[in-house]
Amino acid sequence: MNTSRHKGLALMILAVSQLMLALDYTIVFVALPSLGADLGFSANHLQWVVSAYSLVYGGFLLLGGRLSDMLGRRRMFMIAIALFGVGSLIGGLASSQVLLIVARGLQGLGGALLSPSTLSLIMSNFDEGAERNRAMSIWAAMGGVGLSLGLLLGGILTSYLGWEFTFFVNVPVSLIALILAPSVLVESKAGPGHKHFDALGTISVTGGMILLVYYLIQSPIEGWLSMGTLPFGLISAALFIGFAVIERFAKEPLVPFRLFRNRNLSGAALTAALFSASFGTLYYFLTLYTQDVLHYSAIQSGLSFLPLTISALLGSRLINKMLGAAGTAGTIAIGMALGGIGFILLTQLSDKGTVWGMIPGTVIIGLGQALVFTTMFIAGGTGIEPRDQGVSSAIVSTGQQIGSSVGLAIIMAIISASLGSDIKLETSKPFDLNHAVHIAFTVALVITLLGILVAFMTLKQKKRTSEVDRQGISSR
């Protein structure tokens, strides 16, 4: 366990790393128009700047979690932060579409190794109880705040320094974390029994995820039964079936199916997918609205997310009280409900409106976002043995990343079915684009309602809180 004099620095490194991952997911949204214009991206190909990161991140998270357990969490943290920094540097220097997409994929690989190792390091560097709960709350809160803060920072950097600096900003942070990690983080890993890599399981599940999301992205354009897309969907399904068979008989499976007997972990993973499919897609469509409907500059678009950032930060301070009063399932359900209310308000946005019309909806969504994001990670870590900390956190993060890609793809498919398969959002007239934004937020509303049901049906609730738990909550 970490010594007290290093715990503050350890928490800072882990929290900032989580903040950086969340920032990187949304910071590029505001920069997309400038980036696309400079590098000549078409409207369809521009989506891959976002999807390349999400696909690699989601595809390799499970491997990252198991490697973290087997080889050491601090070691994987350092490898991951180095990969993420190199990917960010290449992205900022990229002069072609291919190089930028490769850089985004490298960032995604670094993130896939980084996310499970940071959460596992919290478990090994902080004492169980109030101290660890407080550290987890701060870590998760940084992720929730980072999603909205990324848009604000992206607008500032793009307007004053150029889109390249949405990548360069990660480089010094990665370097500082890499220097401090050996001295302030305590190494931990699973017992000596974990020696084998599940290569076949890794290949099958990663390939299946990538092909599935590719199918969902391209089918609205080429057709769901087109020979250009259908084979990818069928191969994806076959790979997932193969993965299930491989894991059943593997000596040391990538994902031990016994983990899913833990209702909190299963519920948290599903909640993470629904969270990203609803809250996570908000940033893409609000950026389209502010820049292509209202014609705001990058800095104006970024500043329009300031109320969301502030409300998310305030919401993170309510987590412990909410957990004490409503429990895990209740807190997530309330957060989803707040998100749903916010999405209802955002469906009233007009192509003749202003930023003031966004504020009520985004403030409410920011509060709900903080409640759901933080609590789903706390739920996912409940009742998990130390040897499986890495892979369990990776399961929740995988749900989050795949939910984002699949959610965006489904929303785009519904928009295409409603407005025509040949529609290009970035080049649409403001009226049509505003209608597309309304469709997106209506779908997001439906997903939040589903999230409420999932929270109560899958997450265990304690009718009475023990005295130890009350003391832990009150001392955070």
Side-chain angles (χ1 to χ4, degrees):
M1 192 61 61
N2 207 334
T3 60
S4 58
R5 68 188 181 92
H6 284 156
K7 285 182 178 179
L9 274 177
L11 180 56
M12 181 193 74
I13 290 175
L14 298 174
V16 169
S17 298
Q18 175 67 3
L19 177 66
M20 184 174 66
L21 286 177
L23 279 172
D24 198 71
Y25 176 72
T26 57
I27 196 172
V28 74
F29 281 150
V30 178
L32 283 177
S34 299
L35 181 156
D38 283 355
L39 298 183
F41 276 97
S42 66
N44 287 338
H45 291 162
L46 192 60
Q47 184 178 349
W48 283 100
V49 177
V50 177
S51 297
Y53 178 87
S54 297
L55 289 180
V56 178
Y57 192 155
F60 285 90
L61 267 168
L62 296 174
L63 176 61
R66 184 50 78 195
L67 288 176
S68 175
D69 289 334
M70 293 174 62
L71 302 181
R73 283 94 189 217
R74 186 179 66 185
R75 178 184 298 177
M76 292 309 303
F77 175 89
M78 295 176 66
I79 293 172
I81 206 76
L83 283 172
F84 196 87
V86 170
S88 298
L89 181 61
I90 294 173
L93 296 173
S95 58
S96 69
Q97 297 178 22
V98 172
L99 189 58
L100 182 67
I101 291 176
V102 168
R104 288 290 285 167
L106 188 57
Q107 283 184 312
L109 179 59
L113 303 179
L114 182 62
S115 183
S117 64
T118 55
L119 185 53
S120 299
L121 283 167
I122 287 178
M123 301 297 182
S124 60
N125 280 261
F126 297 91
D127 295 322
E128 186 175 0
E131 181 182 82
R132 184 180 296 172
N133 290 338
R134 176 178 175 273
M136 281 192 65
S137 295
I138 293 174
W139 175 86
M142 287 301 97
V145 171
L147 290 173
S148 51
L149 184 61
L151 293 164
L152 174 60
L153 185 59
I156 294 173
L157 292 174
T158 301
S159 296
Y160 291 107
L161 298 175
W163 63 263
E164 296 88 347
F165 283 84
T166 62
F167 292 89
F168 287 145
V169 69
N170 296 319
V171 177
V173 177
S174 300
L175 186 59
I176 292 171
L178 192 61
I179 292 171
L180 292 178
S183 58
V184 303
L185 296 176
V186 172
E187 181 61 286
S188 72
K189 58 184 176 181
H194 293 267
K195 297 180 180 179
H196 301 284
F197 293 97
D198 182 12
L200 289 177
T202 300
I203 293 170
S204 60
V205 73
T206 301
M209 288 177 176
I210 291 174
L211 292 177
L212 172 63
V213 178
Y214 179 84
Y215 173 71
L216 291 171
I217 290 173
Q218 290 298 115
S219 290
I221 300 171
E222 299 184 25
W224 294 95
L225 299 179
S226 166
M227 289 306 297
T229 57
L230 183 59
F232 293 98
L234 295 176
I235 295 172
S236 171
L239 286 172
F240 283 129
I241 294 172
F243 173 70
V245 174
I246 291 168
E247 297 305 278
R248 182 177 179 84
F249 296 101
K251 182 178 180 181
E252 292 186 16
L254 180 68
V255 181
F257 285 167
R258 58 179 168 75
L259 292 178
F260 293 102
R261 297 173 191 160
N262 183 316
R263 286 179 54 190
N264 285 311
L265 177 59
S266 300
L270 187 52
T271 296
L274 296 173
F275 169 82
S276 288
S278 52
F279 289 81
T281 56
L282 166 77
Y283 305 99
Y284 176 74
F285 288 102
L286 273 189
T287 301
L288 285 176
Y289 176 75
T290 55
Q291 294 197 6
D292 295 326
V293 176
L294 302 183
H295 301 296
Y296 285 0
S297 66
I299 183 63
Q300 289 174 319
S301 179
L303 288 173
S304 70
F305 289 95
L306 183 59
L308 175 59
T309 304
I310 294 174
S311 66
L313 183 59
L314 293 175
S316 68
R317 300 178 65 87
L318 301 175
I319 297 296
N320 297 323
K321 290 183 179 179
M322 291 297 301
L323 287 172
T328 301
T331 300
I332 288 177
I334 291 171
M336 286 288 188
L338 288 172
I341 293 171
F343 286 122
I344 290 174
L345 294 177
L346 291 180
T347 59
Q348 307 306 307
L349 293 176
S350 168
D351 59 318
K352 307 294 184 184
T354 66
V355 68
W356 300 107
M358 292 170 46
I359 291 178
T362 55
V363 166
I364 295 174
I365 287 174
L367 293 172
Q369 171 186 284
L371 296 181
V372 178
F373 187 90
T374 306
T375 308
M376 70 189 190
F377 279 103
I378 293 176
T382 302
I384 300 298
E385 297 180 14
R387 62 176 177 151
D388 294 319
Q389 290 169 0
V391 73
S392 63
S393 64
I395 289 171
V396 179
S397 295
T398 297
Q400 179 190 354
Q401 292 303 317
I402 297 303
S404 175
S405 296
V406 174
L408 181 59
I410 291 174
I411 291 174
M412 292 297 291
I414 295 174
I415 290 173
S416 296
S418 301
L419 302 182
S421 60
D422 59 342
I423 188 171
K424 305 294 188 294
L425 292 185
E426 291 81 359
T427 57
S428 297
K429 294 179 180 180
F431 178 81
D432 291 333
L433 182 53
N434 189 66
H435 182 49
V437 170
H438 287 181
I439 293 173
F441 293 149
T442 300
V443 176
L445 164 63
V446 173
I447 295 173
T448 60
L449 296 177
L450 182 59
I452 295 173
L453 293 176
V454 168
F456 285 124
M457 292 176 63
T458 63
L459 297 175
K460 292 181 179 180
Q461 297 186 73
K462 293 183 178 180
K463 296 182 179 180
R464 301 183 64 180
T465 305
S466 67
E467 184 65 24
V468 173
D469 290 336
R470 287 198 297 268
Q471 291 174 358
I473 292 171
S474 63
S475 61
R476 288 183 220 172

